[in-house]
């Protein structure tokens, strides 16, 4: 039994280590590209302050949902429900999309719910409660 566990953990360790090496190579390449862009900016404007350029957040492509699909689905469900537990809401969305047992998709939905503050609903005791329109 122990050798099975250790074997699986060794495999996972090798996988994670390989991914880290890939990402480090990508970071090195991006640093070279960034330096090239910075040098080009300086060619056109020697006094430009590179520190004034704020990094732009990039969005990782989502394999399960198109942009804005989760909030739209939540609003559809809330039309028929006055209140729903967050876990039930996640289960209903995953059921609609025929997604089974995918923790990454669950986390995507949970993150989307947490970003939806101020959309005529609030979260009370881990339930989404629809507020009446004023």
């Amino acid at each position: 039994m122990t050798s099975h566990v250790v074997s699986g953990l060794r495999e996972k360790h090798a996988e994670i280590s390989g991914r880290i090496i890939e990402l480090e190579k990508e970071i090195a390449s991006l640093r070279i590209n960034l330096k090239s862009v910075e040098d080009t900016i300086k060619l056109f404007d020697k006094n430009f302050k590179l520190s004034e350029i704020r990094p732009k957040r990039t969005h990782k492509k989502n394999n399960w949902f198109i942009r804005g699909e989760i909030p739209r689905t939540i609003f559809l469900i809330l039309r028929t429900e006055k209140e729903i537990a967050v876990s039930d809401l996640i289960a209903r969305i995953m059921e609609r999309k025929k997604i089974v047992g995918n923790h990454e998709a669950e986390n995507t939905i949970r993150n989307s719910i947490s970003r939806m503050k101020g959309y005529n609903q609030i979260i009370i005791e881990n339930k989404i409660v629809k507020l009446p329109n004023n």
Side-chain angles (χ1 to χ4, degrees):
M1 173 70 179
T2 306
S3 63
H4 243 62
V5 173
V6 171
S7 174
L9 290 171
R10 285 183 61 178
E11 186 66 31
K12 191 65 177 174
H13 186 282
E15 182 184 316
I16 293 169
S17 296
R19 183 77 176 116
I20 288 171
I21 290 168
E22 288 173 16
L23 291 172
E24 286 172 342
K25 286 178 184 176
E26 185 178 350
I27 288 170
S29 175
L30 288 170
R31 287 188 198 284
I32 291 168
N33 292 343
L34 182 62
K35 178 71 172 125
S36 176
V37 170
E38 289 173 347
D39 291 345
T40 305
I41 289 171
K42 288 294 187 179
L43 277 174
F44 288 95
D45 186 351
K46 292 178 184 174
N47 298 322
F48 188 85
K49 295 179 184 169
L50 294 170
S51 61
E52 291 178 355
I53 302 174
R54 291 188 355 193
K56 187 185 232 182
R57 183 174 175 215
T58 59
H59 296 280
K60 186 175 143 188
K61 186 172 180 331
N62 185 320
N63 295 324
W64 308 282
F65 306 100
I66 60 173
R67 190 170 175 94
E69 182 178 4
I70 297 172
R72 283 193 303 275
T73 305
I74 291 170
F75 291 137
L76 283 172
I77 292 169
L78 285 175
R79 284 185 188 161
T80 59
E81 306 277 343
K82 182 168 172 50
E83 100 179 17
I84 185 169
V86 172
S87 58
D88 293 339
L89 181 61
I90 291 169
R92 295 255 306 263
I93 293 170
M94 289 185 66
E95 185 180 304
R96 277 176 177 246
K97 294 291 287 187
K98 296 176 177 52
I99 301 170
V100 179
N102 188 309
H103 295 296
E104 239 181 283
E106 283 181 35
N107 288 337
T108 299
I109 297 167
R110 194 174 305 280
N111 290 339
S112 186
I113 290 169
S114 70
R115 286 192 306 269
M116 289 182 63
K117 296 174 182 155
Y119 285 97
N120 289 341
Q121 78 259 344
I122 55 172
I123 299 176
I124 301 173
E125 295 177 7
N126 213 22
K127 289 186 178 175
I128 294 183
V129 179
K130 185 165 68 172
L131 299 173
N133 291 334
N134 294 338

